[in-house]
Amino acid sequence: MTDTNKTATLTLDGKTYELPVLSPTEGPDVIDIRKLYGQANVFTYDPGFTSTASCDSSITYIDGEEGILLHRGYPIGDLAGKSHYLEVCYLLLYGALPSAAELEDFETRVTRHTMVHEQMHRFFTGFRRDAHPMAIMTGVVGAMSAFYHDSTDISDPWQREVASIRMIAKMPTIAAMAYKYTIGQPFVYPRNDLDYASNFLRMCFAVPAEEYQVDPILSRAMDRIFTLHADHEQNASTSTVRLASSSGANPFACIAAGIACLWGPAHGGANQACLEMLREIGTVDKIPEYIARAKDKNDPFRLMGFGHRVYKNFDPRAKVMKESADEVLELLGVENNPTLQVAKELERQALDDDYFVSKKLFPNVDFYSGIILEAMGFPTAMFTPIFALSRTVGWISQWKEMIEDPQMKIGRPRQLYTGASERPYVDVENR
Ligand code: CMC
């Protein structure tokens, strides 16, 4: 970020204030209002942060008008096509693509942390079997701070590093355990000779009674889903992680807060909601009815997997996801999947409709991901946990960046108060 020579001028009650204008490496300039309250005794009002940058960051850049997503400068299409998830994790965490030796060392460190403390197994059994796996993940990840005391001191760079590696390594194990618990099957321990995605598939789908062979096609598709969800700058869950950690809370508690926020259907929960919607539509002849409902102001129904706060063009992740859905379903021999047919026709009709065109509503990452995950054998309840495990590296990278920033302050938004002015207390007998 650099200071431009530009300033923005604010005139209020006859007084003029000059506000510095900062210039990012990409994207629009930013008016610096940090001193505004002290100088002019006014706040700015921006619920939902539609025009407010809450931090500076060098990790991820999105150009929503052009449909561009860059991680440390590298386009998501290149990363999804040529790289793989653990390399992208390294890139997000440390800022550059690793050398072969650095990658090997990183993969070894992650692999050696995949098991969870044995005592944590008992923690799972406290949940009801019909608990949503996101409920279990929120609880178990928060509970990690009760198990890994040697990596909760955020002022120690070594402990921060260990906590980061632990969470990236253990999140697939925890997500798989949450799944196994809800279906009543025994937990499957991680295997360190498998790559990250294959290990996760095995922990979800293997049973002790027989050998499980990981299908390399599914493992590649799984890895790509992880990569496409790895980070997405200051979205709701990432901002939650930043706000929680700004108080100095330990990293496990902060990531648990991010998981809780991700669960909502406007955010990561949209992948489950989207597949449920596609199933409910069922056949292409019903699509016009659902499009009409989505356009009806008096109907709360929205097309799930459509629209985005930042993208006003194709979500570049959705493009890769759609190609991947075609590929995976063809390879699994289910190219006539009715849900995929409904999804494609729904996309076609929506993008031909003035409502969606004028509001710039396009399919987002959640529109096609559920179709792939369902074809792989995951129940809908596992879609958001898979998003959470993929996004963990993004949350951690943003958390690390924030903690290492000397300008870090506790996050403390102001408000526009609309309640009662001071009034005298009235005794209960006189009310
Ligand atoms: N279906 C129908 N209308 C929509 C939709 C939709 N999916 N999304 C937005 N709109 C309309 C909305 O009614 C509003 O219309 P108007 O201006 O007439 O009031 C306009 O488009 C702008 O919507 P908004 O709610 O003000 O926009 P936002 O930036 O606050 O919300 C969003 C973004 C993602 C929450 C919203 O588009 C949405 O609810 N989409 C469905 C849920 C979804 O797919 N979420 C996943 C997002 S991507 C992955 C992730 O973040 O986890």
Side-chain angles (χ1 to χ4, degrees), residues 165-198:
I165 298 288
R166 275 187 171 143
M167 276 187 278
I168 294 167
K170 294 183 200 308
M171 210 56 90
T173 314
I174 292 171
M177 287 170 83
Y179 172 51
K180 286 297 199 190
Y181 183 72
T182 59
I183 58 170
Q185 288 186 2
F187 298 138
V188 176
Y189 284 88
R191 277 253 311 260
N192 288 356
D193 58 330
L194 294 176
D195 63 74
Y196 193 85
S198 303

Side-chain angles (χ1 to χ4, degrees), residues 149-336:
H149 298 147
D150 58 347
S151 53
T152 52
D153 178 358
I154 60 161
S155 65
D156 178 347
W158 185 85
Q159 294 202 29
R160 291 203 296 270
E161 177 68 15
V162 175
S164 305
I165 298 288
R166 275 187 171 143
M167 276 187 278
I168 294 167
K170 294 183 200 308
M171 210 56 90
T173 314
I174 292 171
M177 287 170 83
Y179 172 51
K180 286 297 199 190
Y181 183 72
T182 59
I183 58 170
Q185 288 186 2
F187 298 138
V188 176
Y189 284 88
R191 277 253 311 260
N192 288 356
D193 58 330
L194 294 176
D195 63 74
Y196 193 85
S198 303
N199 184 40
F200 176 63
L201 289 172
R202 187 177 166 280
M203 288 190 292
C204 288
F205 297 125
V207 287
E210 59 188 44
E211 277 306 308
Y212 176 80
Q213 292 297 331
V214 183
D215 183 332
I217 294 157
L218 295 191
S219 158
R220 177 74 195 119
M222 189 78 259
D223 190 85
R224 193 174 284 173
I225 288 179
F226 292 161
T227 301
L228 290 173
H229 288 91
D231 190 47
H232 213 229
E233 54 119 306
Q234 308 313 319
N235 54 81
S237 57
T238 303
S239 302
T240 300
V241 170
R242 280 188 179 257
L243 194 57
S245 29
S246 76
S247 71
N250 78 70
F252 304 109
C254 297
I255 299 302
I259 295 174
C261 176
L262 185 79
W263 195 1
H267 193 6
N271 52 15
Q272 172 170 354
C274 179
L275 198 91
E276 285 164 359
M277 172 193 79
L278 294 172
R279 278 190 194 145
E280 189 184 306
I281 298 175
T283 47
V284 289
D285 57 302
K286 295 252 189 63
I287 291 173
E289 181 195 322
Y290 281 83
I291 289 198
R293 283 187 60 195
K295 289 159 57 172
D296 181 355
K297 281 272 155 259
N298 300 317
D299 188 329
F301 174 77
R302 283 186 167 199
L303 279 194
M304 299 314 286
F306 248 80
H308 198 274
R309 168 63 61 78
V310 183
Y311 292 119
K312 301 301 166 205
N313 200 324
F314 261 95
D315 178 338
R317 302 168 301 171
K319 272 190 194 163
V320 183
M321 207 66 93
K322 186 178 180 182
E323 285 163 21
S324 213
D326 278 331
E327 231 172 77
V328 173
L329 267 56
E330 193 191 323
L331 289 164
L332 291 174
V334 281
E335 58 270 53
N336 290 329

Side-chain angles (χ1 to χ4, degrees), residues 366-387:
D366 294 318
F367 195 65
Y368 286 104
S369 62
I371 294 170
I372 308 177
L373 293 171
E374 187 193 38
M376 285 175 158
F378 287 104
T380 48
M382 274 304 285
F383 296 179
T384 316
I386 289 171
F387 192 157

Side-chain angles (χ1 to χ4, degrees), residues 72 74 90-97:
R72 303 285 191 184
Y74 298 101
Y90 185 100
L91 175 69
L92 289 168
L93 275 173
Y94 306 114
L97 287 170

